[in-house]
Every structure is written in structure tokens, then in C-alpha cells.
Amino acid sequence: MNAKTITYTYPAHITQQTQSGKPLVFFAAPATEIDQWVGVPQRSRLEDEETIGFQRQENKTRIKELSSFYHDERNIVQNPLLAAPQSETSVKFTPLEGHADFGMLEIVSPDFSESSLLVLMSRVVERLETRVPELKDAPLDQERLSSIMERGRKEHGIDDLVEEDDDDDDSAEENGNGTGDDAASVLLTDETHLIDFYTELKGRVRVLEALDPDKKPERILGFDRAAMISYLKPIMLVDGQHRLRGAVLAAESWAEGGDGEAFLLEAAEEGKDPAQAKAEFIAKHARRLPVSLLMDPNPSEHVFQFVVVNQKATPMGKALLGTIVSTSLSKEELDPVAQRLKDAGIKLDDSQAIAYLTRADDSPFKNCVQTGITGPAGDRSTALQWPVLKGLVGIFRELSGGKLYSEPTDWARMWGKYHLDESALVAAFETHDEKLAEWARPDGPWRAIFIRFYTIIKDKFGADDPEASNAWGTTNSNLFNKISLTILAADYFEFLRLQKRTLNSVDDVDATMESWLEGVNLAYFNRNWKVEKKDTPAVRRRWASLWHSYRKNPESLPKEGLFNPVAGA
């Protein structure tokens, strides 16, 4: 599995901003050459599975605009590409004698041109195991593996593809988690999906191994060679993918013009290989782009640099930022930069808390919330927005924001002030501040309470039919939207406060909600309220008032026309 290597060398300058910081190496290289040794770990979906990259997906329009800009040779972009090595051995800086700050940079890149998809995918698996050694012994999700095997049989006609009986099954049984529920929480943080991506890769490797050796597909169940190679290149691009792609496109488009055609015609007359001649022409016209190479191979530092650059200089959407921060690293990789991210103003705890709820099997919000992933398999427009889930989480986690829109009282804060200290869930701590901090950890007691509360709401009031008025998972619904979900949480905390009830366990959620919803018609949200624009002050106040009054005296449902204040009802 050892691929040939290609060594690239560049004159470079090395510097160190601080004594404890890693060195920075500055150099320039042709864009088309950079494209050979740099990987762009895009955060996207391959089939229905998210990758573990942290770059946004390419914006084709922006790339074309940059390509046009680059076509005018007078136009200069000063910002360097930001990059970092994937390993200690992939780069080497050799200083000039007598000039320690100047020297030659060597980048050693494997040549994957002849490597099969099986070889590439196996190498990505090995790289993940190097990053997180515990992955080798982790109990894999057997249901997920079975699904991959079955798809392999159907799509590639493999009759003898069998699921391996290996140590994964034994490990799962010994740990009491045959369903794989605890694997991520035991091995990695709850907020990372590295283990899921690892399992997807392992399953596809098994499918590839079962194929006829003469078959060397470029793509298997949505995962292709280009994506795998991007993970294996020696340098990781931290920032600047559009500048790089635009420069490469500009160089390639030169070959389509008159000068390119003349060059290729002359090369053909001289008997040169057309493909090689075109590559030479493109390389000749490629811009030399500046590169700033941080000499640190740690994935945690790569993500830290990316987040700081994109949050401080060119802010990205909160959903994608939160998704990237929370799911690109294992716990061991995240811990060293967690405090640095917080100090830089990145609300890491929020991202971790929300990311779990968008992925966990026991969460009623799984696959129902926008994550910032674009493309054909990306977010649905009717999925709940990331900031909305953040607000709902805040009511339970921070015990803040639990207001009925028609009233000023924050019932979540009031319950926390008067009843949290009594809870057995935080009994091990002494002061109110300590109890509140324990409660609010990203995986603290609040989370189980939150999940159980909205699971009951979903089961009692929701419907699986996306066209239903009370559909769960689409914001077109009367139920699954910011207004209704906030009103229900605020009203529940008001009930707990007025009834002077604390929560000592998840079972208490069931008991208190049964009392809270006593007599309520479960068809409340399953009617045509005839409201198109929900998130307006008038609608918020009206819906809060109608629910609050009805829940306290549920003799008859409010008339449907009352829910639309614009109609003058």
C-alpha cells in the first residue's frame, strides 16, 4: 500500500510569533502545483453521511468571479492561503547556512494516481485510527454496518458479501450496548460523529473487498476517490479554498483560449502527448499564490485556526460553525483548544449541546435542524433553524428565556431560582452557582430533561405525516416551530414553579407533564389555523394567550380563527 512520492521544493522564510507558538513558513507556489499537494476537507454530505471536513462547500459563482479577476494579470490578491501539515514527516524546512530565517521547504506528497479506491479508503481508516487509537477497539454500530452491507449487495450485485463476526459484537455485548448507544459517549465526546464516519468507511471497505479484483470503481455508495484523496494529502488547507480554486480555473481556462489552442496545435505537430502539453501550458500560466504554513500537524489546531479566521474575519453561519466545532474532533483533540476557543469568543458549550441534539438517536430533533450543510443532500428549508434550537436549549440549560410571549415573567429562571437547589440531580454540589454549573454542562442533567420533555410533546401532539397541521420535523407545522415550542416550554416551567415541583429524575418529567397536560385535547395543534407568517409579535402573543388559557381550563378547544390575529378574529 506504499504509494510513490513526489517532492516539491520552494524557497521559504520561517518565523515564530511567540516563543511558545509553532513556527510559520511563508512561501509561494503555482496554484496548480498547490492543488496537487493540498487537501480541502469540505464539510459536506456524501450520500446521506456528513464528512468530517471543516471547509464550507465550494461556491461555484464565487470561484468563477475570482477566475475572471485572476485573468487580469495586474490584479493581485495579497492574502495568503492558510495551511498546515497533516503529519510531522510531510514537510521539512532546511535553513540556509548563515541565514536561519531563510531556507528551502520540502513537501513530500504521495502519488495517488494509481491507487484504487479500496487502498485510499483503507488509508483514511488508518489515519482516523492514528488520530483516535481507541477507534480500533470501539464497538461499531452493527445496524449501520448491516445497512451498508445490504446496499452493497443491491447496488453492486455482490452475492457473497457477508457481515463479519468480529470483536465488535463481543465488545458491544460486554459493555451492555449492543445497539451502539453508548459507543460515542464512552469512546468519544457525545458531540463528535467521527465514530459514525469511521463506521461508514469500514463498511464500504468491506464492500470493496468483496468486489471482483478487476473492478476498480471510482465511487462506492456515495464516497469517491477525490474525497478520500483530500484526506490523505500532506497539507491541509485551513483557509482560502475559493482563491485557490479560482486561480486553478483561471489557469485551465487559458488553455481554452486562442493562445492555448495555438500552443497545443504546435505541440501536436511536434508529436507531443496532448494531455501532457496541455498540463505544461496550464502550469506555465498558473499564478503563484502566497502560502502561510503553520508547522503544526494537530487537527485540533487546524480547526481552531479555521474557526478563529472565519468567525473573526469573515463570519459564517452559526449552524455550520457550530456543526464544525462540535463534530470534527474527538474529545482528546478538542480538549486542548476548548478553552482557547471560549477565550476567542466562540461559544463552544452551546455548539456541543446543540450538535448532540441534532444527531443523537434519542433526540426528537435528530435530522430536523439545519446544520449549515449545503448541496443536494443538505439542509431542508423547513428544518428548524439552529438559533431556534439554541433558544429552546437555553430555556432548559441556562434556565433563561422561558417567557410566555404575552407575559414578562421568565418562568424557567424562576424555577431555577427557587427549585433547582432541591433537585437530586445536582445534590452533590453545595452552592446555587455550583449546582447551576453542574446542571448546565453540555451533557449535564438538563439534557435528559430536555430530550424527555420534547419527546413527550412529539409523541402526544405531533404527527409523522409532513403534510399534517401538527407535523413534527417541518416548520410549516402549527407545532414544530419557534413559537409553539417556546410557549410549551415556558408554560411547563410556570406549572412547575406554581406547583412548587422540582425534578429529581427523568421519570419526574413524565409525572409532572401528565399533571400539566391533564384534560388537554391532543388534537390541539392538528387543525388549520390559517396562519402563514407565524413569527410576528401579534401571533406570538395570541398563540401564548390561547394555549395558556386553554391548558388551565381545557373544556373546549379555541376556535381555529382565533389563531390568526391578522384576520381580525
Side-chain angles (χ1 to χ4, degrees), residues 312 507 529:
K312 297 300 182 182
D507 290 340
W529 292 356

Side-chain angles (χ1 to χ4, degrees), residues 5-165:
T5 60
I6 304 172
T7 300
Y8 301 87
T9 59
Y10 307 102
H13 175 264
I14 191 167
T15 187
Q16 204 160 341
Q17 292 186 2
T18 65
Q19 290 184 348
S20 59
K22 294 288 186 177
L24 284 169
V25 177
F26 299 99
F27 65 103
T32 51
E33 210 165 272
I34 295 172
D35 198 42
Q36 297 301 308
W37 46 254
V38 77
V40 183
Q42 291 181 354
R43 189 50 172 233
S44 59
R45 293 186 193 273
L46 302 178
E47 290 287 291
D48 293 329
E49 296 305 321
E50 288 181 45
T51 65
I52 57 170
F54 52 83
Q55 286 279 7
R56 285 169 277 195
Q57 285 187 285
E58 290 181 356
N59 182 324
K60 302 299 183 184
T61 301
R62 188 177 175 194
I63 291 174
K64 289 181 180 179
E65 290 173 349
L66 281 166
S67 176
S68 298
F69 176 84
Y70 285 139
H71 262 288
D72 188 333
E73 294 186 351
R74 296 171 298 178
N75 292 340
I76 301 297
V77 173
Q78 290 184 269
N79 292 356
L81 306 179
L82 306 185
Q86 293 244 53
S87 72
E88 299 278 4
T89 59
S90 60
V91 295
K92 178 183 178 183
F93 178 82
T94 304
L96 293 176
E97 187 175 348
H99 300 278
D101 292 345
F102 295 89
M104 296 299 294
L105 178 72
E106 287 188 359
I107 298 174
V108 180
S109 178
D111 179 5
F112 296 115
S113 59
E114 302 299 325
S115 298
S116 68
L117 182 56
L118 173 58
V119 169
L120 295 172
M121 199 164 283
S122 298
R123 285 194 170 192
V124 176
V125 167
E126 291 172 3
R127 178 155 288 183
L128 285 174
E129 291 173 345
T130 300
R131 278 181 58 179
V132 188
E134 295 88 347
L135 280 172
K136 292 182 180 179
D137 301 318
L140 299 181
D141 186 334
Q142 296 303 309
E143 184 177 345
R144 184 184 288 263
L145 280 175
S146 296
S147 175
I148 298 169
M149 300 294 104
E150 182 60 28
R151 289 177 58 197
R153 293 188 190 97
K154 290 181 178 178
E155 294 186 24
H156 295 276
I158 307 172
D159 297 327
D160 58 345
L161 179 56
V162 295
E163 297 170 34
E164 297 177 8
D165 258 339

